[in-house]
Amino acid sequence: EISKVGDKMKRYFEGLRFGLLLQLAVGPMCLMVFNTAKNVGLLVALSIVLAIALVDAFYITLAGLGVSKILEKEKVKKAFKIIGSMVLILFGINIILNVFGINLIPGLNLKPTTSNIFIQGLVLTLSNPITIVFWGSVLTTKIIDDKLKKKELAVFSIGLVSSTLLFLSFVAILGTILSNFIPDNISSILNIIVGIYL
């Protein structure tokens, strides 16, 4: 019984370690978390972190169930790429225009609150469904290389999602701490960078 718990902990920490390595490839959502924490505070930024982690968990589950295979079909992949790209471009342009006081999407320019930032985080993270293919390849490799059983795969996947929560929570805390030291003009530049990155 103790060895089973030990094996599960080993798989969990493998997933956590692997996920943290992936998190180091800083993406637009990481920058958005930092920027939100800096501009409107830790709690609001943590709502984006939760949204990202939930979508990661959803996509990892779909990948584990084999849905990623459907997205490997060229026509399906192309359709999702186009839709996802349009959403990301729209959000990116909106963030850039906000710096100049222009509201492209009025509903998104309400005073940032935990609920509307959470929804933006969900939409932005979901708009990249090709992530399922990525998680599918990661999980397939682990199943083949380590001969993982379903329970082991589930524990490994929990480690992956935990890495998202851990890393992005740290980014949010860092953004909150640095908010007092970053001047407004640098803040505007960061917003533009996030918008361009999206």
Side-chain angles (χ1 to χ4, degrees):
E1 196 64 43
I2 292 170
S3 67
K4 282 184 180 179
V5 172
D7 285 346
K8 285 180 181 174
M9 291 304 291
K10 182 185 168 201
R11 291 297 178 204
Y12 172 80
F13 283 110
E14 276 178 17
L16 184 67
R17 189 174 64 244
F18 187 74
L20 285 171
L21 281 173
L22 296 176
Q23 295 294 333
L24 291 176
V26 173
M29 294 311 291
C30 179
L31 286 175
M32 191 170 178
V33 168
F34 179 85
N35 222 27
T36 302
K38 184 184 64 57
N39 292 331
V40 288
L42 182 62
L43 281 179
V44 180
L46 287 176
S47 70
I48 295 181
V49 173
L50 182 60
I52 295 167
L54 285 173
V55 174
D56 270 2
F58 174 65
Y59 278 166
I60 287 169
T61 302
L62 289 181
L65 294 172
V67 175
S68 57
K69 293 288 178 203
I70 296 166
L71 286 175
E72 286 174 4
K73 293 180 180 173
E74 208 49 51
K75 284 184 179 177
V76 177
K77 189 189 283 188
K78 194 173 182 181
F80 273 115
K81 277 185 178 179
I82 290 168
I83 293 165
S85 296
M86 285 169 61
V87 171
L88 291 173
I89 288 167
L90 191 61
F91 270 83
I93 291 170
N94 191 61
I95 289 169
I96 293 166
L97 292 178
N98 274 346
V99 171
F100 305 102
I102 301 166
N103 297 337
L104 181 66
I105 314 168
L108 295 181
N109 297 304
L110 305 167
K111 188 179 186 307
T113 63
T114 306
S115 58
N116 68 25
I117 288 286
F118 176 80
I119 291 165
Q120 284 184 46
L122 280 178
V123 171
L124 281 171
T125 314
L126 280 167
S127 69
N128 189 10
I130 302 309
T131 308
I132 304 173
V133 176
F134 169 75
W135 286 125
S137 62
V138 166
L139 297 181
T140 302
T141 304
K142 287 303 288 182
I143 291 166
I144 293 167
D145 290 352
D146 296 358
K147 298 178 176 60
L148 293 185
K149 298 183 178 95
K150 281 184 180 178
K151 284 183 181 176
E152 291 176 311
L153 185 63
V155 173
F156 178 80
S157 298
I158 291 167
L160 291 175
V161 175
S162 297
S163 72
T164 301
L165 285 167
L166 190 67
F167 182 81
L168 292 180
S169 294
F170 172 75
V171 169
I173 292 166
L174 191 64
T176 307
I177 292 167
L178 294 179
S179 65
N180 298 322
F181 304 102
I182 299 174
D184 286 345
N185 57 342
I186 300 294
S187 179
S188 296
I189 291 167
L190 273 174
N191 281 338
I192 291 169
I193 289 170
V194 172
I196 290 169
Y197 206 161
L198 282 174

